[in-house]
Amino acid sequence: MNKIAQIVKWCNGALAVDVDINAEIDELATDSRNIEHPETALFIAIKTNLRDGHLYIADAYVAGVRNFLVSRHVEAGELQGANIILVKDTLLALQQIAAGHRKQYKLPVIGITGSNGKTVVKEWLYQLLGGRFSIARSPKSYNSQVGVPLSVWLMEPEHQLGIFEAGISQPGEMEQLEKIIAPTIGVFTNIGEAHSEGFLNIRQKINEKLILFRHAQHLVYCHDHAQLNECIVNYVHHVQDVKLFSWSAKQDADLRVTKINKQGNKTQITASYKGEEATVTIPFGDGASVENAMHCWCVALLLGLSQAEIAEGMMSLQSVSMRLELRHGLNDCTVINDAYNSDLTSLQLALGYLDQQKQHLMHTVIMSDMLQMGKADIDLYEEVAAQISRRGIQRFIGIGPALYKNKAAFRKYKKLRSIFFRSTEDFLKNFHQLTFNKEAILLKGARVFAFEKIGLLLEQQVHQTVMSINLAALKQNLDVFRAELSPGVKTMAMVKAFAYGSGSYEIASLLQHAGIDYLTVAYTDEGISLRKSGITLPIMVMSPDASSFDRMIAWNLEPEIFNFRSLGMFVQIAQTLQVKNYPVHIKLDTGMHRLGFEAHDMEQLITLLKDNPMLQVASIFSHLSASEDPKEDDFTALQAKRFDDMSSQLMRELPNSPLRHLCNSAAIVRHHSLHYDMVRLGLGLYGVDGSHSLEGKLQQISTLKTMIAQVRDVPAGDSVGYGHKAMADHDRRIAVICIGYADGYLRDLGNGNAYVLIHGQQARTIGSICMDMCMVDITNIPEAKEGDEVTVFGNDLPVTLLGQWANTISYEIMTSISQRVKRVYINEE
Ligand SMILES: *Cc1c(COP(=O)(O)O)cnc(C)c1O
């Protein structure tokens, strides 16, 4: 453990307030919502252009933290009994602390960088070497300026090897990461051709990445990437003496691949090393896996493993999934399936995600024995039990001999119900005696325990048509828009219409977690269901119908007031319920001519608002009708002028100062001068670039897939589908796919107006779209067969294209996907 005095020294800090300079720190925390051991944690207030950690100091204090690292003055009085360290730059301090921590250890450390494969190589090395060494490694893909120091901090005296990955996005960043990781063995996986921001060209990118190996003794890389090889050889020649260890399938190298033999899902690789041939088989059939495995092979040789040991490990490599899948389960449960490794760090991450599932009061963890080296079982499970109990989890189901033996560690927490089974089979046999109802369930099992069988029982039968929603992509889209905003401008997210078809609660919960300021729904009922599932953000309701005003107030939802009639009725209810300062939002009509007050209404509106102080205007806003269209910029300017005039008139007379907001997604990007105090983000969040000026920075968050139900051959001259139409003069092969207009696949997409993707190839619709299915032409896709996956839209087939085909807009395509289509939420790192 590190003492606080030591930490102060490492980061050159000043102890602004010292209460206890002997306080011990075993955890570095940058997120106040995710702190494992508050008593011994140091909360580091990091400021990025999106978020300022200083705003969460109070939360961390309430959670029990008593040590803080800050870069600006904080009132000590509010942090009774806490140590406060003051530095100039908290991110730099975090990095210096991690570098100081790293220096305490003399052991081999593998540093991995490159464009692709970093995480897989790191995890595979862990799988290959885990039986030999006690290993510290980066959790998931923690490879950033913040992620690397947090990873390296996990090194402890018992470790014999470190494996960390490093990723950078601009020049200058690797310098810091090198000091923190200080690798003795380097792995440079590969370099992508894609142009990346911040770098002049690929060579500059390679050279920057090479900085990671400044003090390394060995560097592993593939000789066959020409540019990479050139830069590395040059680097070794001019800059530094490091022993290169290369592999190649084409030329002479330390490990020379002589034969690659693909057999379905397996690949046999033969290579010669020091004049002797050896063969390994990996359980993967793709080229990227071969490349990743080769890098691991080189490292394993460097670390002294024998060819026989390596071959044995390679055979059982497991795919690295960084997904946490959220699915709807039986009896209204939500199931989180964590297919990631089973160890303490990943448990902590998964528990954090479970904690966010506030729509359920009851939380259950089903976990298998952990296969973690370096800790005695008893200590390991004491720690697991402590984590589980601290998170307020009500039920723990432990599966496996080691957990069974260590029951007592869990039983001592009186509020935690715990049940144990010796094996997965035992659990499955007893499944029907357990009840699972309206709860969030985390499934976390090491591979050998085959938890997928439990998943099958808990999850609802998947309807063949599934829309998967990538929550990580949503978060990235949000960040793209936040980067457009000046500091202090707030964000309101539009989650109306079931979050543009994506599902309300899951999206709202993510947005709440991401620190958004406001949510907006269309109807009171939508707002209530968000409240019921634990959303506490302020929520504006856009089309409040007067009969629901009382329920709005009961659930703390804020109405949009757009005319005198709605104002009058809300006032009545507010008087009856005797509310004070109730927040309302005043909508102005500046040219859209939908809802809203007009200029000539202002005086009367002011009088009414002054007469009714139980209402407080929280915001004033208007909607632009053509913000995406450069040809209409004059009209947008006119709308803005009207908004400015009307809202200024109101602001002068109102006792408080409401927020003003005007911009929707397209306007955020195209009209920076109109951001006012807040912006309203809709379509862009879901990955559609209405502004046409974000150059592919957004990711479509939803993918709709279905399945081929039947394949048949239709002779020339025969028709397909209703109406005895759709004939052709040649023989065709058609596939019937499980999606129709009742799922939201619009009828206009029929008769060849649209295509779907099968095995990556286009298959056009034939005949009309039926209610539950439709037909597509697969004459040119001979490998297509029954049961195959069909992509209706997704990253390779944008929703905007479907919009064009059906003569409509993306908004309609997205919101038309019916509720019977199952949604699956994916949180991918
Ligand atoms: C839907 C909506 C938005 C969001 O518009 P996008 O174009 O989807 O960003 C903003 N403001 C109002 C009033 C809306 O109804």
Side-chain angles (χ1 to χ4, degrees):
M1 256 201 225
N2 293 295
K3 298 228 188 300
I4 193 134
Q6 174 72 75
I7 285 177
V8 171
K9 209 183 281 167
W10 281 334
C11 67
N12 263 322
L15 255 180
V17 178
D18 72 78
V19 173
D20 173 15
I21 57 160
N22 283 319
E24 290 187 332
I25 302 297
D26 75 356
E27 179 178 355
L28 301 182
T30 57
D31 184 338
S32 60
R33 294 160 302 188
N34 245 328
I35 303 181
E36 279 307 310
H37 304 278
E39 327 77 55
T40 50
L42 174 68
F43 180 75
I44 303 180
I46 292 191
K47 193 167 183 310
T48 65
N49 44 7
L50 299 181
R51 261 186 158 198
D52 183 358
H54 292 86
L55 301 176
Y56 302 92
I57 288 176
D59 292 351
Y61 184 84
V62 170
V65 175
R66 290 297 175 267
N67 299 287
F68 296 88
L69 181 78
V70 299
S71 62
R72 63 166 191 254
H73 176 76
V74 290
E75 278 306 325
E78 288 158 26
L79 305 178
Q80 280 289 327
N83 289 311
I84 303 175
I85 308 174
L86 186 65
V87 293
K88 274 218 190 68
D89 177 343
T90 44
L91 174 61
L92 182 64
L94 165 65
Q95 296 172 337
Q96 290 167 331
I97 292 167
H101 181 74
R102 165 73 181 91
K103 278 217 182 85
Q104 299 177 313
Y105 300 102
K106 291 235 172 323
L107 74 182
V109 168
I110 303 167
I112 307 168
T113 194
S115 299
N116 297 300
K118 295 187 286 293
T119 305
V120 175
V121 170
K122 180 198 71 192
E123 289 301 317
W124 281 2
L125 283 173
Y126 179 78
Q127 292 172 19
L128 286 171
L129 304 169
R132 267 247 191 154
F133 303 91
S134 163
I135 300 176
R137 74 190 199 285
S138 328
K140 304 213 168 185
S141 313
Y142 275 26
N143 60 31
S144 67
Q145 296 286 305
V146 174
V148 168
L150 292 180
S151 305
V152 169
W153 179 260
L154 300 174
M155 284 174 87
E156 290 187 25
E158 79 226 21
H159 290 130
Q160 300 158 318
L161 177 70
I163 314 179
F164 302 105
E165 54 178 293
I168 51 169
S169 53
Q170 44 184 327
E173 291 187 339
M174 199 53 105
E175 185 90 33
Q176 283 308 325
L177 301 187
E178 191 276 332
K179 287 186 198 144
I180 306 167
I181 300 178
T184 58
I185 298 176
V187 179
F188 202 133
T189 58
N190 54 40
I191 195 82
E193 291 295 320
H195 171 75
S196 43
E197 277 178 85
F199 293 100
L200 293 173
N201 54 34
I202 292 191
R203 301 175 63 87
Q204 192 200 11
K205 199 157 84 174
I206 297 175
N207 286 326
E208 170 77 20
K209 291 188 187 221
L210 280 171
I211 293 175
L212 179 62
F213 311 121
R214 191 170 275 172
H215 299 102
Q217 290 144 24
H218 302 276
L219 172 55
V220 168
Y221 76 105
C222 172
H223 198 153
D224 301 341
H225 292 278
Q227 273 181 312
L228 188 61
N229 184 56
E230 210 184 304
C231 288
I232 288 180
V233 171
N234 205 15
Y235 182 79
V236 175
H237 196 72
H238 292 289
V239 187
Q240 175 215 338
D241 193 23
V242 46
K243 286 200 199 74
L244 297 181
F245 193 112
S246 64
W247 66 269
S248 166
K250 298 182 184 147
Q251 52 219 308
D252 198 26
D254 295 288
L255 186 59
R256 170 75 165 99
V257 177
T258 51
K259 205 162 76 199
I260 294 182
N261 185 5
K262 283 203 170 80
Q263 307 150 324
N265 288 336
K266 287 189 181 151
T267 310
Q268 205 180 48
I269 314 169
T270 305
S272 75
Y273 175 62
K274 294 190 170 160
E276 279 182 38
E277 289 228 316
T279 297
V280 303
T281 302
I282 57 170
F284 301 91
D286 61 298
S289 292
V290 171
E291 183 179 275
N292 293 331
M294 287 310 300
H295 288 123
C296 295
W297 193 347
C298 296
V299 175
L301 288 170
L302 273 175
L303 286 171
L305 268 70
S306 71
Q307 295 286 21
E309 285 172 307
I310 295 172
E312 192 189 332
M314 289 276 184
M315 213 149 53
S316 42
L317 285 180
Q318 289 154 2
S319 75
V320 174
S321 159
M322 270 149 304
R323 286 167 160 227
L324 283 175
E325 281 198 354
L326 197 63
R327 289 173 182 268
H328 295 290
L330 51 79
N331 305 329
D332 286 332
C333 289
T334 299
V335 183
I336 301 175
N337 204 333
D338 183 358
Y340 199 63
N341 270 292
S342 172
D343 60 26
L344 273 176
T345 328
S346 71
L347 175 67
Q348 183 178 338
L349 292 164
L351 288 177
Y353 195 45
L354 178 65
D355 205 38
Q356 286 175 40
Q357 306 310 315
K358 308 246 189 266
Q359 75 273 40
H360 300 293
L361 291 174
M362 167 91 181
H363 287 187
T364 293
V365 172
I366 306 181
M367 201 182 97
S368 77
D369 285 356
M370 280 186 169
L371 308 173
Q372 172 149 343
M373 279 265 308
K375 255 195 162 79
D377 273 0
I378 174 77
D379 297 340
L380 183 62
Y381 294 114
E382 290 275 351
E383 174 66 32
V384 171
Q387 282 199 20
I388 300 270
S389 143
R390 201 166 326 110
R391 292 281 185 179
I393 284 152
Q394 292 94 336
R395 179 162 62 160
F396 179 81
I397 301 178
I399 298 177
L403 271 165
Y404 196 87
K405 215 170 106 202
N406 288 285
K407 282 179 198 175
F410 296 83
R411 293 271 156 87
K412 71 178 186 217
Y413 297 99
K414 295 285 174 281
K415 287 200 187 127
L416 178 67
R417 277 191 289 142
S418 54
I419 321 167
F420 297 84
F421 298 92
R422 284 198 176 81
S423 66
T424 306
E425 275 57 50
D426 268 4
F427 171 84
L428 294 173
K429 259 187 248 147
N430 289 287
F431 182 76
H432 293 289
Q433 281 146 39
L434 300 163
T435 45
F436 295 96
N437 193 15
K438 296 191 171 63
E439 59 199 278
I441 305 168
L442 170 66
L443 263 183
K444 183 141 187 64
R447 294 285 153 157
V448 286
F449 287 89
F451 267 28
E452 57 276 6
K453 292 183 194 156
I454 302 179
L456 279 181
L457 287 182
L458 285 174
E459 286 158 18
Q460 275 170 344
Q461 268 312 310
V462 182
H463 175 27
Q464 300 104 329
T465 306
V466 175
M467 182 143 100
S468 58
I469 293 145
N470 183 340
L471 295 173
L474 181 92
K475 173 71 174 49
Q476 275 177 22
N477 294 339
L478 172 62
D479 289 344
V480 168
F481 283 94
R482 282 175 160 179
E484 301 280 327
L485 305 178
S486 308
V489 176
K490 295 184 184 317
T491 315
M492 174 181 254
M494 312 306 279
V495 293
K496 59 191 183 192
F498 201 52
Y500 291 48
S502 304
S504 320
Y505 166 72
E506 290 79 3
I507 304 282
S509 163
L510 177 120
L511 292 168
Q512 174 162 300
H513 196 72
I516 226 133
D517 302 282
Y518 250 99
L519 292 174
T520 298
V521 295
Y523 293 100
T524 306
D525 281 341
E526 294 178 315
I528 293 178
S529 83
L530 290 181
R531 283 276 181 266
K532 281 186 176 162
S533 43
I535 300 293
T536 52
L537 281 177
I539 299 177
M540 176 171 99
V541 181
M542 286 206 301
S543 338
D545 97 77
S547 68
S548 70
F549 280 162
D550 55 333
R551 290 194 303 138
M552 274 180 78
I553 292 176
W555 288 94
N556 197 14
L557 304 168
E558 308 173 9
E560 164 183 324
I561 300 290
F562 51 86
N563 61 10
F564 290 116
R565 185 166 168 274
S566 61
L567 179 60
M569 296 205 264
F570 196 74
V571 163
Q572 253 182 19
I573 301 279
Q575 273 166 347
T576 317
L577 296 176
Q578 300 205 332
V579 294
K580 288 204 179 71
N581 292 334
Y582 201 87
V584 300
H585 302 265
I586 301 293
K587 172 83 167 275
L588 304 178
D589 180 11
T590 53
M592 173 112 172
H593 299 322
R594 201 166 61 179
L595 301 178
F597 292 98
E598 295 180 50
H600 58 79
D601 296 327
M602 288 304 105
E603 267 178 43
Q604 191 187 346
L605 179 59
I606 289 165
T607 313
L608 279 170
L609 288 171
K610 280 185 170 165
D611 287 349
N612 291 292
M614 70 288 221
L615 302 191
Q616 183 171 62
V617 179
S619 84
I620 305 171
F621 73 107
S622 183
H623 197 33
L624 297 170
S625 51
S627 64
E628 71 289 351
D629 188 353
K631 291 202 292 292
E632 295 294 340
D633 281 351
D634 286 345
F635 182 65
T636 300
L638 176 66
Q639 280 198 280
K641 168 88 174 54
R642 288 174 179 158
F643 179 66
D644 215 270
D645 290 347
M646 283 194 260
S647 60
S648 305
Q649 193 183 346
L650 284 174
M651 305 273 284
R652 274 196 299 276
E653 302 286 340
L654 294 174
N656 64 323
S657 32
L659 300 170
R660 291 196 283 179
H661 44 113
L662 182 61
C663 289
N664 67 337
S665 305
I668 293 172
V669 187
R670 298 199 58 250
H671 302 289
H672 286 94
S673 63
L674 305 182
H675 288 173
Y676 290 93
D677 308 306
M678 183 154 79
V679 294
R680 297 188 305 274
L681 185 52
L683 195 62
L685 205 45
Y686 308 96
V688 178
D689 177 17
S691 71
H692 302 293
S693 38
L694 285 171
E695 296 157 9
K697 282 191 206 153
L698 299 181
Q699 264 191 68
Q700 188 170 306
I701 68 161
S702 44
T703 302
L704 180 60
K705 286 193 172 156
T706 184
M707 195 187 82
I708 299 181
Q710 195 171 9
V711 169
R712 66 170 70 250
D713 292 303
V714 180
D718 274 17
S719 71
V720 174
Y722 281 116
H724 193 61
K725 302 212 175 66
M727 300 179 195
D729 58 6
H730 56 272
D731 293 350
R732 287 172 294 173
R733 169 167 284 195
I734 63 157
V736 182
I737 63 174
C738 307
I739 187 165
Y741 59 79
D743 298 296
Y745 199 62
L746 307 178
R747 289 193 74 239
D748 285 343
L749 295 167
N751 297 307
N753 288 331
Y755 60 75
V756 295
L757 296 177
I758 299 174
H759 292 280
Q761 298 171 69
Q762 303 176 4
R764 285 210 166 267
T765 54
I766 315 181
S768 7
I769 307 293
C770 312
M771 187 185 283
D772 305 310
M773 59 197 100
C774 63
M775 281 69 87
V776 296
D777 190 334
I778 53 166
T779 313
N780 297 319
I781 314 175
E783 65 270 41
K785 56 183 188 315
E786 289 169 9
D788 282 359
E789 187 178 271
V790 177
T791 302
V792 178
F793 60 70
N795 273 334
D796 303 326
L797 181 44
V799 173
T800 40
L801 211 49
L802 275 76
Q804 286 164 22
W805 291 335
N807 288 318
T808 178
I809 49 177
S810 325
Y811 298 80
E812 185 177 349
I813 301 284
M814 289 161 63
T815 53
S816 298
I817 302 307
S818 85
Q819 290 304 306
R820 81 173 188 193
V821 173
K822 191 179 160 72
R823 267 74 171 169
V824 172
Y825 298 87
I826 297 167
N827 212 347
E828 210 164 354
E829 304 252 335

